[in-house]
Amino acid sequence: MGCEVSRRGQAIRLKAPGWKNVARMDEKLGQGYSEDEIRAVLAGEKQHTPRRKDAVSTPTPKVNLLVDIQAKLQAGKGAGYARWAKVFNLKQMAQTMNYLTEHGLLEYAVLEEKAAAATTRHNELSAQIKAAETRMAEIAVLRTHIINYVKTREVYAAYRKAGYSKKFLAEHEADILLHKAAKQAFDDLGIKKLPTVKSLQAEYATLLEGKKKDYAEYRRSREEMRELLAAKANVDRLMGYGEERQNDREKEQGQDR
């Protein structure tokens, strides 16, 4: 049996024995696939050269950080390697390479970015915790002053009524001093209307809860930051990246002069 030929619109359709689908032959396929050209080939008047697909170029893979490190270790030369070898050993470098592999840090730029981000986050959490601790300490002191102020208010009112009598002061000195200290604290803080002890306790509880959450993340971020900075420092020493940057800075300073 031969090939079935049919026409649909301006396109010729071919179907050979065993084919499930037809093949459309038209000018959209490019040179060599028009009706006249196909007829010429079938008549033996022309030779058909199948169209070749363009080869897909494969992007050149980036040389990753591990390859650079291994090359440096194998070379075992240079001032950077000599300084590194005095402090570290191959076991430590192997641990660093394992860490880089496990965390997908196969490019130095990524390692540098991650280390910087971890440091920033750690510092942010540290600042948040310190701010919470500062405010909690303020609340504790303020709460004490408010309680003392309320407890000694009547005594101080009586002291004023007595015309600030020395005798009255001697008899109630402790309460009067507490009252004065509380008033001075309120003035220093610029407080015009005293907050309630209940509201201060609620704020303290909120701050304490937030501090506990932040501290849990703080410990994790501190560990992550230390690991990243240690890995980066190890790589920097071995590869001499720190030395290269120092040389670049010195060149820039020399050009500015």
Side-chain angles (χ1 to χ4, degrees):
M1 293 179 65
C3 179
E4 294 181 16
V5 180
S6 61
R7 181 185 292 277
R8 185 169 185 177
Q10 295 184 351
I12 297 175
R13 304 198 306 171
L14 305 178
K15 186 174 183 182
W19 288 10
K20 291 183 178 180
N21 300 314
V22 298
R24 287 171 56 90
M25 313 295 286
D26 57 23
E27 294 181 355
K28 291 181 180 179
L29 294 174
Q31 187 176 0
Y33 290 91
S34 67
E35 181 179 349
D36 292 339
E37 288 170 319
I38 292 171
R39 288 183 180 277
V41 171
L42 293 175
E45 299 171 357
K46 184 178 180 181
Q47 185 175 359
H48 177 66
T49 303
R51 189 177 60 182
R52 298 176 62 184
K53 291 185 178 180
D54 295 333
V56 179
S57 59
T58 304
T60 305
K62 292 183 179 179
V63 177
N64 67 38
L65 189 55
L66 299 185
V67 174
D68 291 340
I69 292 172
Q70 289 170 343
K72 191 75 172 182
L73 290 172
Q74 289 172 359
K77 297 177 181 179
Y81 179 85
R83 281 194 296 273
W84 174 84
K86 290 179 181 178
V87 183
F88 298 96
N89 55 43
L90 293 178
K91 183 178 179 181
Q92 287 173 299
M93 198 65 230
Q95 291 173 344
T96 297
M97 292 175 73
N98 286 338
Y99 177 83
L100 296 175
T101 303
E102 290 171 3
H103 293 81
L105 303 172
L106 303 181
E107 293 181 37
Y108 183 79
V110 176
L111 172 62
E112 191 173 37
E113 182 181 345
K114 290 279 188 182
T119 302
T120 299
R121 181 55 181 158
H122 174 77
N123 292 339
E124 287 174 351
L125 289 168
S126 178
Q128 286 177 205
I129 291 170
K130 287 178 181 177
E133 289 174 340
T134 299
R135 179 55 185 161
M136 288 166 69
E138 289 175 354
I139 290 173
V141 172
L142 182 57
R143 179 179 175 275
T144 300
H145 281 309
I146 291 174
I147 292 173
N148 289 339
Y149 180 82
V150 173
K151 284 170 60 177
T152 60
R153 184 160 44 192
E154 291 183 3
V155 173
Y156 195 80
Y159 174 54
R160 282 195 303 176
K161 247 184 198 183
Y164 303 104
S165 164
K166 290 183 179 180
K167 180 183 177 183
F168 191 94
L169 174 61
E171 292 173 352
H172 303 88
E173 186 174 9
D175 287 344
I176 291 171
L177 289 177
L178 285 175
H179 195 84
K180 284 184 175 181
K183 286 186 68 176
Q184 185 62 50
F186 301 151
D187 291 341
D188 292 343
L189 293 171
I191 296 175
K192 302 298 181 183
K193 183 179 179 181
L194 293 181
T196 64
V197 172
K198 185 177 180 180
S199 68
L200 290 176
Q201 288 174 332
E203 183 184 355
Y204 189 95
T206 301
L207 288 168
L208 181 59
E209 184 180 357
K211 179 191 168 184
K212 288 179 180 178
K213 290 180 180 178
D214 285 344
Y215 195 73
E217 186 180 350
Y218 170 84
R219 284 184 295 183
R220 290 193 298 270
S221 71
R222 180 178 59 189
E223 186 64 24
E224 180 186 14
M225 179 188 69
R226 286 176 176 174
E227 289 177 346
L228 284 164
L229 290 178
K232 181 178 176 296
N234 206 351
V235 172
D236 284 346
R237 289 190 185 95
L238 175 63
M239 303 301 294
Y241 291 151
E243 182 181 349
E244 291 174 3
R245 292 185 180 185
Q246 179 63 30
N247 291 337
D248 291 340
R249 283 195 293 269
E250 290 176 357
K251 287 179 182 178
E252 290 176 1
Q253 291 173 357
Q255 291 173 355
D256 293 339
R257 291 173 185 171

